């Protein structure tokens, strides 16, 4: 400050530069996380998220023009978005000098969670193959499962579509056709 109370120009520039280069965390490998690095990484992360959303929407619009089914377009859009977000997170972590190997515990827990979640899907998939090979139920058979009577229209890998006598279509997981009481009137 001068005698009139004005701020000296050099002091403000030095304070900003000192804050910009201020070390926040020093990692075990010797790398330092500064305010500038944190702000730049945050900027890359936000821009990456925005670009991920834009690119996935752009690709889904182009896929819709190819006369692809709407549910397939939505699934691909979501998949592309997730892949781009993962790439954005990895780039941001590498900018911050955070070793990705530190996340092995999280990836292991995620793998176990996916395994438990996929257990039901795999059970239905294998049940579908058993249904197709043993053929206890065939297309156009009139069946009764859990009080729902109807005609089998489609036996897929994961589920079977049955058209009930009232015209309603129901999707029955293939494992239900093997582990529950099923009456095949045909």
């Amino acid at each position: 400050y001068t005698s009139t109370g004005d701020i000296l120009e050099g002091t403000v520039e030095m304070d900003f530069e000192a804050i910009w280069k201020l070390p926040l965390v020093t990692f075990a490998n010797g790398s330092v996380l500064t305010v500038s690095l944190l702000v730049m990484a945050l900027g890359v992360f936000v821009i990456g998220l925005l670009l991920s959303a834009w690119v996935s929407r752009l690709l889904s619009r182009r896929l819709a023009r190819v006369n692809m089914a709407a549910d397939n377009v939505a699934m691909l859009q979501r998949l592309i978005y997730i892949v781009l977000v993962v790439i954005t997170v990895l780039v941001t972590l590498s900018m911050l000098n955070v070793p990705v190997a530190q996340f092995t515990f999280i990836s292991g827990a995620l793998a176990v969670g996916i395994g438990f979640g996929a257990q039901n899907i795999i059970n239905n998939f294998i049940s579908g193959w058993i249904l197709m090979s043993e053929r206890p139920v065939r297309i156009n058979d009139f069946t009764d499962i859990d009080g729902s009577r109807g005609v089998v229209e489609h036996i897929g890998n994961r589920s079977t579509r049955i058209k009930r006598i009232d015209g309603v279509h129901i999707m029955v997981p293939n494992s239900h056709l093997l582990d529950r009481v099923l009456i095949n009137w045909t």
Side-chain angles (χ1 to χ4, degrees), residues 56-69:
S56 65
R57 271 186 270 132
L58 179 70
L59 289 175
S60 70
R61 280 189 222 128
R62 295 210 177 171
L63 288 174
R65 290 184 198 149
V66 182
N67 294 331
M68 186 180 277

Side-chain angles (χ1 to χ4, degrees), residues 154-175:
H154 176 73
I155 300 173
N157 286 328
R158 198 180 57 80
S159 63
T160 298
R161 184 176 64 227
I162 298 174
K163 184 176 182 180
R164 293 191 325 200
I165 54 177
D166 60 359
V168 175
H169 287 90
I170 59 172
M171 300 298 287
V172 179
N174 287 334
S175 61

Side-chain angles (χ1 to χ4, degrees), residues 44 86-96:
V44 165
V86 167
I87 291 170
T88 300
V89 168
L90 291 175
V91 167
T92 304
L93 289 175
S94 71
M95 278 184 68
L96 294 172

Side-chain angles (χ1 to χ4, degrees), residues 102-186:
Q102 299 297 327
F103 294 102
T104 54
F105 174 75
I106 293 172
S107 63
L110 184 64
V112 169
I114 289 172
F116 280 123
Q119 179 180 4
N120 192 17
I121 293 169
I122 293 170
N123 182 19
N124 285 319
F125 183 76
I126 293 171
S127 297
W129 284 102
I130 291 171
L131 286 172
M132 288 182 219
S133 63
E134 288 184 0
R135 300 182 60 112
V137 178
R138 297 177 185 184
I139 294 175
N140 294 326
D141 282 358
F142 187 79
T143 60
D144 182 354
I145 184 165
D146 292 337
S148 293
R149 294 181 181 164
V151 177
V152 175
E153 288 188 332
H154 176 73
I155 300 173
N157 286 328
R158 198 180 57 80
S159 63
T160 298
R161 184 176 64 227
I162 298 174
K163 184 176 182 180
R164 293 191 325 200
I165 54 177
D166 60 359
V168 175
H169 287 90
I170 59 172
M171 300 298 287
V172 179
N174 287 334
S175 61
H176 288 10
L177 295 174
L178 294 176
D179 65 9
R180 297 202 178 162
V181 176
L182 170 74
I183 301 171
N184 188 343
W185 290 98
T186 306

